[in-house]
Amino acid sequence: MHRASEPSFRESVDLMFARAVKLMDLPPGMEEKIRVCNSTYTVRFGVKLRGAIHTFTGYRAVHSEHMEPVKGGIRYATSVNQDEVEALAALMTYKCALVDAPYGGSKGGLCIDPRQWDEDEMERITRRFAYELIKRDLIDPAQNVPAPDMGTGEREMAWMADQYQRMHTTDINGRACVTGKPVNAGGIQGRTEATGRGIQYALQEFFRNPGDVKAAGLSGTLDDKAVILQGLGNVGYHAALFLSTEDGARIVCVIERDGAVSNPDGLDIDALRAHIVETGGVKGFAGGAYTEDGSAQLEADCDILVPAALEGVIHMGNAANVKAPLIIEAANGPVTAGADEILRDKGCVIIPDMYANAGGVTVSYFEWVKNLSHIRFGRMQRRQEETRHQLIVDELERISSDASINWTLSDGFKDKYLRGAGELELVRSGLDDTMRGAYNDMAEVWRTRDDVPDLRTAAYLVSIGKVAASYKAKGL
Ligand code: GLU
């Protein structure tokens, strides 16, 4: 997607990094130590499929080992390449630091079109790729913990975890070798929705800060805001679903591979998703008007633009035409460094990827902790919490039964109050807390420092500061 005149994805990340470090006072050499990617492993392996040997190319880049294990997803796409994997690994370092997930940054990728292969073939390819990485400790609960990314999901994570366990039969913590597993194979409730849920929590926190909302030229709350979303994959779907059904936002346009579908009253996201699953695209969806030129819709009028697909979709060629006053980067790297500058000059506020889409790795962290502690969150406390709540409800009911006091409990209070938090409620609570905290750490720098022009620079300042402190503490 990047134009010849623009830097590559990795260079784009480095440029944004460089802009931030200029504003910092780092010890000599620290800037370079943090910026460079520590190592990238490339593997080419063969799998016998359909009567022939097929050779696949895969990568696992480790950007920073200031904390271990290192963490980051594995992407399956034909466009995967070393530059992209290294850019994404760097973003993982900064992302984990910003949300206090105790990891270094890593990322993996396999050059493959998953739609070309059936499930059994995908399993063989995935197990073989996992074997290559496990052999070199590039999948390991203590050293390197992959997760889903574009083109991968629970299914692939379950195969990888099983492959690890076959090769390390006595490792009691083996399940913690990857996150994003199905709940019945050591996963955690709320991981699949986590990145989309994080987008929602990020926007909610943004709109809790009227000064920040004003800086974007907006006012009010999320209610009735017009949203254009690009990419109705796992992240985009959950973000759009929660924003429209829980916060009152109108998803006025969804851009997909085959075009865009618009409805000024708001699209029915579940119906649209079902249509895409059935037909492979948005064309023909009855609940909105179809246009073939999807990317033109990135430039349409709206309050909030949510690029939730690939990197580099807002570039120097279209940034000047983007009208959205607020962009939240659900994808990694959707705005190039050149476009970032154009948009900033126009006054557009960008909630940057390393913060906005950190919900995924945050809940991955909870899953990893669950795997290492071998117990589901809430298992010990839930009923005890309910028993204590019951005491209060009994007492309130006793008081309200006194005829001389004209007082009753509100409808629904008892049921809501009595229910102790299960794993899903706890995961959402931990995620919400993380997104609120990280937003304010980042926004505070933006609000208080005149030399920090935007949230992205502020996010880099916070995260680079944390990585630098960690290297310093280690005595490096
Ligand atoms: N692939 C996701 C990301 O880019 C999740 C990574 C993880 O959970 O480790 O943040």
Side-chain angles (χ1 to χ4, degrees):
M1 269 295 157
H2 92 269
R3 342 245 108 190
S5 58
E6 287 198 76
S8 72
F9 184 16
R10 191 183 47 73
E11 287 161 350
S12 211
V13 171
D14 286 350
L15 280 170
M16 292 169 176
F17 173 91
R19 216 176 57 212
V21 287
K22 261 201 261 153
L23 306 173
M24 300 178 79
D25 190 17
L26 293 174
M30 183 67 89
E31 180 268 335
E32 190 186 2
K33 175 66 211 86
I34 295 176
R35 179 175 44 79
V36 298
C37 182
N38 287 4
S39 63
T40 305
Y41 171 65
T42 307
V43 60
R44 296 180 189 87
F45 58 91
V47 187
K48 203 161 167 200
L49 299 158
R50 303 179 192 174
I53 297 171
H54 293 259
T55 301
F56 297 91
T57 304
Y59 305 91
R60 187 76 179 160
V62 175
H63 175 260
S64 171
E65 289 151 292
H66 68 289
M67 281 198 196
E68 290 191 279
V70 294
K71 189 97 191 71
I74 292 185
R75 175 173 288 199
Y76 281 6
T78 47
S79 53
V80 162
N81 60 69
Q82 183 170 345
D83 187 277
E84 179 191 66
V85 169
E86 290 185 358
L88 292 165
L91 281 175
M92 285 309 303
T93 297
Y94 310 133
K95 192 184 303 191
C96 290
L98 189 63
V99 295
D100 285 331
Y103 304 121
S106 182
K107 199 81 173 199
L110 185 65
C111 296
I112 188 172
D113 177 358
R115 284 166 304 185
Q116 300 262 303
W117 305 99
D118 68 27
E119 183 157 358
D120 288 344
E121 291 166 337
M122 284 307 294
E123 178 173 350
R124 291 181 56 199
I125 299 163
T126 298
R127 283 186 182 276
R128 182 59 205 269
F129 183 31
Y131 168 82
E132 296 295 333
L133 297 179
I134 295 162
K135 255 197 337 196
R136 293 164 180 90
D137 296 335
L138 290 167
I139 298 181
D140 182 289
Q143 292 210 57
N144 198 325
V145 183
D149 199 78
M150 239 173 65
T152 55
E154 289 189 341
R155 188 182 71 165
E156 286 72 19
M157 298 307 116
W159 292 330
M160 289 184 189
D162 185 65
Q163 188 65 32
Y164 178 89
Q165 288 179 296
R166 285 185 191 188
M167 294 165 71
H168 295 88
T169 49
T170 57
D171 184 348
I172 197 170
N173 293 320
R175 276 187 157 178
C177 73
V178 296
T179 57
K181 301 177 292 292
V183 175
N184 61 19
I188 195 168
Q189 303 271 355
R191 175 62 185 87
T192 305
E193 67 166 44
T195 314
R197 186 62 82 182
I199 298 293
Q200 176 196 30
Y201 290 157
L203 280 173
Q204 286 177 351
E205 189 55 21
F206 179 82
F207 278 94
R208 273 187 207 108
N209 288 276
D212 300 353
V213 176
K214 201 167 157 220
L218 292 167
S219 61
T221 65
L222 270 169
D223 191 41
D224 207 37
K225 290 286 181 290
V227 177
I228 296 180
L229 179 113
Q230 184 194 36
L232 208 65
N234 180 46
V235 178
Y237 162 69
H238 284 105
L241 183 71
F242 300 145
L243 289 169
S244 59
T245 58
E246 297 175 13
D247 298 288
R250 276 176 298 126
I251 313 298
V252 294
C253 176
V254 167
I255 305 163
E256 260 291 330
R257 257 180 269 255
D258 67 326
V261 63
S262 308
N263 182 342
D265 298 326
L267 294 156
D268 177 338
I269 294 302
D270 266 331
L272 180 57
R273 170 91 156 180
H275 180 84
I276 295 172
V277 170
E278 202 183 302
T279 67
V282 291
K283 193 175 178 179
F285 179 61
Y290 172 76
T291 45
E292 205 178 319
D293 187 0
S295 46
Q297 297 302 311
L298 290 168
E299 301 167 18
D301 276 316
C302 65
D303 297 311
I304 308 170
L305 177 62
V306 190
L310 270 181
E311 60 263 18
V313 294
I314 301 171
H315 44 76
M316 286 163 80
N318 63 2
N321 303 328
V322 170
K323 293 184 194 66
L326 176 64
I327 297 178
I328 179 158
E329 296 181 329
N332 287 307
V335 176
T336 65
D340 192 58
E341 244 173 84
I342 297 172
L343 289 164
R344 183 163 6 97
D345 292 346
K346 280 173 44 148
C348 171
V349 170
I350 300 177
I351 304 179
D353 47 9
M354 78 170 74
Y355 163 71
N357 68 37
V361 76
T362 299
V363 177
S364 276
Y365 169 39
F366 302 155
E367 180 177 330
W368 181 72
V369 171
K370 174 188 179 179
N371 293 153
L372 295 178
S373 57
H374 300 269
I375 190 164
R376 162 169 58 78
F377 288 107
R379 183 163 176 180
M380 303 298 277
Q381 308 91 319
R382 184 176 191 169
R383 303 301 167 195
Q384 194 262 355
E385 192 189 337
E386 288 180 1
T387 309
R388 288 170 67 86
H389 285 182
Q390 185 72 54
L391 278 176
I392 294 188
V393 168
D394 288 349
E395 195 60 11
L396 289 174
E397 281 183 329
R398 189 185 63 74
I399 298 168
S400 61
S401 67
D402 181 338
S404 67
I405 306 173
N406 189 11
W407 189 69
T408 54
L409 295 177
S410 320
D411 280 352
F413 164 80
K414 199 169 145 181
D415 279 351
K416 271 196 234 155
Y417 186 68
L418 278 180
R419 204 174 47 239
E423 187 172 73
L424 184 60
E425 287 82 12
L426 291 170
V427 162
R428 286 181 180 160
S429 154
L431 176 59
D432 195 8
D433 185 58
T434 303
M435 296 309 290
R436 290 188 200 211
Y439 180 80
N440 287 299
D441 289 348
M442 164 183 80
E444 196 50 26
V445 175
W446 177 45
R447 293 178 199 127
T448 54
R449 279 185 62 163
D450 290 341
D451 58 346
V452 175
D454 56 16
L455 284 169
R456 191 189 313 278
T457 311
Y460 270 103
L461 282 181
V462 174
S463 57
I464 295 167
K466 289 187 191 178
V467 177
S470 166
Y471 274 129
K472 258 192 249 169
K474 281 170 91 167
L476 217 155

